[in-house]
Amino acid sequence: EQNHAAESDYKFERDSESITETLENEGKGSPVGYTGMTWSGFRPSDDACQYHYLVPSNMLAVSVLRGLEKLPLSENLKKRAAELADEIAGGIRKYAVAEGPSGKGMYAYETDGLGNFNLMDDANLPSLLGAPWYGFCETDDPLYQETRKFLLSPEIHTIFRENMQPESEVRIHRM
């Protein structure tokens, strides 16, 4: 769905004490602006999205849509897939690049197209760290490099460490 707020009938609500198990706003999720990206209700981890443009999923969609060019499909379908890939990629460039702690641009994990960003990553795929692996960008892409630097920095691990209890259960694994 590219225009969830205006065109979708999709809703998801369940009784839960955890906000990660259901969608707010009568099951429609938090407000979003139109970006050209596809809307997601939930992350690969099954937690509800905070902001509903899940950037890694959109990156993967761009890669898959561009890969259709290599398949024996109709030229019309290939053209439509390329146009959709360009529209989603444009939305990522315009709405999913946030200023990181270093003051440089980096990819956000989620955005709402209204100026809000979630700067994190998920251990599942698709992930921001996996973007070169599935072909969205090259490893030397400056935005990817800044994103990677942030995600693997000690500062982000300190943030998670401070918010987890008890301290003895904190385990951080680096690759």
Side-chain angles (χ1 to χ4, degrees), residues 8 25 28 40 50 54 62 70 77 92 95 103 106 108 112-113 121 134 144 147:
S8 179
N25 192 25
K28 293 284 281 181
S40 296
Q50 179 179 7
L54 184 59
V62 168
K70 300 172 189 167
L77 183 58
I92 292 170
Y95 296 99
M106 62 174 280
D112 58 8
D121 206 1
Y134 47 80
Y144 174 75
T147 304

Side-chain angles (χ1 to χ4, degrees), residues 1-10 25 28-35 39 53:
E1 297 182 337
Q2 288 182 289
N3 201 354
H4 176 76
E7 298 177 10
S8 179
D9 292 329
Y10 178 79
N25 192 25
K28 293 284 281 181
S30 59
V32 295
Y34 182 81
T35 66
W39 183 92
Y53 294 117

Side-chain angles (χ1 to χ4, degrees), residues 66-141:
R66 288 190 173 146
L68 294 178
E69 175 64 32
K70 300 172 189 167
L71 298 177
L73 302 169
S74 73
E75 290 306 312
N76 183 49
L77 183 58
K78 289 179 185 182
K79 180 180 180 234
R80 289 177 41 217
E83 289 169 353
L84 182 56
D86 290 345
E87 187 174 359
I88 295 170
I92 292 170
R93 284 189 302 277
K94 184 172 182 179
Y95 296 99
V97 176
E99 184 177 313
S102 70
K104 296 179 182 176
M106 62 174 280
Y107 292 116
Y109 181 73
E110 293 172 344
T111 185
D112 58 8
L114 301 171
N116 297 299
F117 304 98
N118 190 353
L119 303 182
M120 61 167 271
D121 206 1
D122 198 325
N124 289 305
L125 287 177
S127 68
L128 292 173
L129 286 177
W133 179 71
Y134 47 80
F136 177 76
C137 63
E138 298 296 324
T139 56
D140 61 353
D141 175 291

Side-chain angles (χ1 to χ4, degrees), residues 41-52:
F42 293 86
R43 301 173 182 158
S45 62
D46 292 333
D47 290 340
C49 291
Q50 179 179 7
Y51 305 115
H52 292 280

Side-chain angles (χ1 to χ4, degrees), residues 12 22 24 46 58 78-79 83 96 108 126 130 171 175:
F12 184 88
T22 190
E24 62 182 299
D46 292 333
N58 279 279
K78 289 179 185 182
K79 180 180 180 234
E83 289 169 353
R171 290 177 182 81
M175 299 179 109

